[in-house]
Amino acid sequence: MKAYDRKLVLEDGQEYYGYGFGSGAQRVCEAVFNTSLVGYQEIVSDPSYTDQTVVMTYPLIGNYGITDDDFESVNPSLGALVVGDYNDSPSNFRSVKSLGELLEDCDIPGLSGVDTRKLTRSIRDKGSRRCIMTSPETSVEEALRIIASTPIPHDAVSRVTARKRRYSRTADPQFTVVAIDCGMKLNILRSLKSHGCNVVIVPYNATAAEILFMRPNGVFISNGPGDPQDVPEVVETVRALRGKVPIFGICLGHQIISLAYGARTYKLKFGHRGGNHPVKNLLTGKVEITSQNHSYAVDVSSVGSTRLEITHLNLLDHTVEGVECAADRVFSVQYHPESAPGPQDSGYLFEKFTQIMKESK
């Protein structure tokens, strides 16, 4: 058997040996798992995974390669990727390169041949932990020393946000939306444009005055990496904008809106990541199958003291999945209604946003 050439060491000393692909970089990240059956390219290029080592629970990864059309960001910032079985010879007429080639281009280390079921159960039972992807010659003691001496980053949003204002236009626009980019997925941009929105993308630290000066029909707060309390600038901006313009938030945007209204957030034991979470819409009684990617959640007990109404609940752990302040024309969801490659049960939320903007004109 071929000798192992890479390993993953968790901060509690657990070791997982395997075979490296992609970049050979040594990287300290937070270990999380994703239960999606497809969509590894979208996962690798989703800015919300910045500083995280993603363990794919689906066993075979890389089999359909990488395409030009399925990226969620221009510069993928995933920390590292761990898979059970990596396929370096993809079969797909749309493929332009292998997953390993993409990871190498983006300096993202990959590890295959790992017992991902055991690793996932460890994360599920003991929670997300910091880890290091390194050489098999690195001792456990040295690996733990490196992990302990590596600061926990709190600047992820500032690293993935737009550097300056930019525009993305659509044919026959009906609305102008300012999108606060905290690490926005490209399919959110596509979804807004497909609903008749010209989109002005602004950095995360754009002020309310700067946004209102553009006279938008609505404001969108995007997804992004890290703790929502690390971006008080965006929380303050939402607080200043509420009631003045319709606002729609997704994922990190949902948490930021909740903080702006006085709710609290907390870190989940191992987060929600995958395309199979059932969420109940309390306004309609319907259950939606949703795609999720987040480590933090809104404290359900804190919402009652705010002007927000809970609109959606996760049926697996009863966490808050949606809130709304109808009087202020503000609403948000924790999951991803624009999810690519799916599911697509929640696309109606973009129609709700455009309807609110239409009524507010």
Side-chain angles (χ1 to χ4, degrees), residues 70-130:
D70 295 337
F71 285 97
E72 289 292 354
S73 66
V74 176
N75 299 303
S77 54
L78 177 79
L81 185 68
V82 178
V83 305
D85 185 6
Y86 168 60
N87 186 329
D88 199 40
S89 300
S91 177
N92 175 9
F93 74 96
R94 298 172 64 224
S95 176
V96 296
K97 64 175 67 174
S98 70
L99 172 60
E101 289 172 324
L102 173 66
L103 297 188
E104 185 176 6
D105 292 343
C106 299
D107 195 29
I108 299 172
L111 181 67
S112 68
V114 171
D115 185 346
T116 51
R117 291 194 300 174
K118 179 181 178 182
L119 179 51
T120 298
R121 285 172 177 159
S122 175
I123 297 171
R124 181 196 65 186
D125 296 341
K126 298 182 179 181
S128 299
R129 281 154 289 160
R130 302 183 80 200

Side-chain angles (χ1 to χ4, degrees), residues 22-191:
S23 166
Q26 179 171 276
R27 192 73 46 81
V28 175
C29 299
E30 178 189 33
V32 300
F33 65 84
N34 187 296
T35 60
S36 298
L37 304 183
V38 293
Y40 57 78
Q41 178 176 346
E42 289 86 345
I43 291 166
V44 167
S45 58
D46 183 347
S48 294
Y49 286 111
T50 301
D51 300 327
Q52 292 180 329
T53 292
V54 177
V55 180
M56 298 298 297
T57 63
Y58 190 74
L60 178 61
I61 300 297
N63 53 308
Y64 56 84
I66 297 296
T67 74
D68 284 331
D69 301 325
D70 295 337
F71 285 97
E72 289 292 354
S73 66
V74 176
N75 299 303
S77 54
L78 177 79
L81 185 68
V82 178
V83 305
D85 185 6
Y86 168 60
N87 186 329
D88 199 40
S89 300
S91 177
N92 175 9
F93 74 96
R94 298 172 64 224
S95 176
V96 296
K97 64 175 67 174
S98 70
L99 172 60
E101 289 172 324
L102 173 66
L103 297 188
E104 185 176 6
D105 292 343
C106 299
D107 195 29
I108 299 172
L111 181 67
S112 68
V114 171
D115 185 346
T116 51
R117 291 194 300 174
K118 179 181 178 182
L119 179 51
T120 298
R121 285 172 177 159
S122 175
I123 297 171
R124 181 196 65 186
D125 296 341
K126 298 182 179 181
S128 299
R129 281 154 289 160
R130 302 183 80 200
C131 64
I132 182 171
M133 191 173 292
T134 185
S135 163
E137 283 76 38
T138 304
S139 67
V140 173
E141 293 76 17
E142 175 64 9
L144 297 183
R145 186 196 66 77
I146 296 172
I147 293 174
S149 63
T150 302
I152 297 175
H154 294 281
D155 62 344
V157 168
S158 67
R159 284 184 274 131
V160 298
T161 188
R163 297 297 136 200
K164 59 181 180 180
R165 182 174 61 191
R166 61 188 178 90
Y167 300 86
S168 186
R169 297 181 172 86
T170 188
D172 191 25
Q174 306 299 309
F175 311 98
T176 297
V177 171
V178 171
I180 300 179
D181 180 12
C182 299
M184 184 168 62
K185 295 170 62 180
L186 289 177
N187 206 49
I188 290 177
L189 183 58
R190 299 182 195 110
S191 297

Side-chain angles (χ1 to χ4, degrees), residues 158-267:
S158 67
R159 284 184 274 131
V160 298
T161 188
R163 297 297 136 200
K164 59 181 180 180
R165 182 174 61 191
R166 61 188 178 90
Y167 300 86
S168 186
R169 297 181 172 86
T170 188
D172 191 25
Q174 306 299 309
F175 311 98
T176 297
V177 171
V178 171
I180 300 179
D181 180 12
C182 299
M184 184 168 62
K185 295 170 62 180
L186 289 177
N187 206 49
I188 290 177
L189 183 58
R190 299 182 195 110
S191 297
L192 287 169
K193 291 169 63 177
S194 71
H195 284 81
C197 300
N198 275 344
V199 184
V200 185
I201 301 100
V202 298
Y204 81 102
N205 54 0
T207 66
E210 291 170 340
I211 292 170
L212 291 174
F213 183 77
M214 300 178 217
R215 301 176 62 85
N217 301 112
V219 172
F220 176 80
I221 318 297
S222 85
N223 65 292
D227 185 341
Q229 296 186 62
D230 286 342
V231 284
E233 307 96 324
V234 193
V235 175
E236 184 55 40
T237 296
V238 171
R239 190 174 289 128
L241 289 173
R242 60 185 180 178
K244 298 177 181 177
V245 62
I247 302 175
F248 176 27
I250 288 176
C251 200
L252 182 67
H254 161 75
Q255 299 159 15
I256 288 170
I257 286 172
S258 298
L259 288 173
Y261 276 86
R264 297 186 299 272
T265 58
Y266 66 98
K267 190 170 185 179

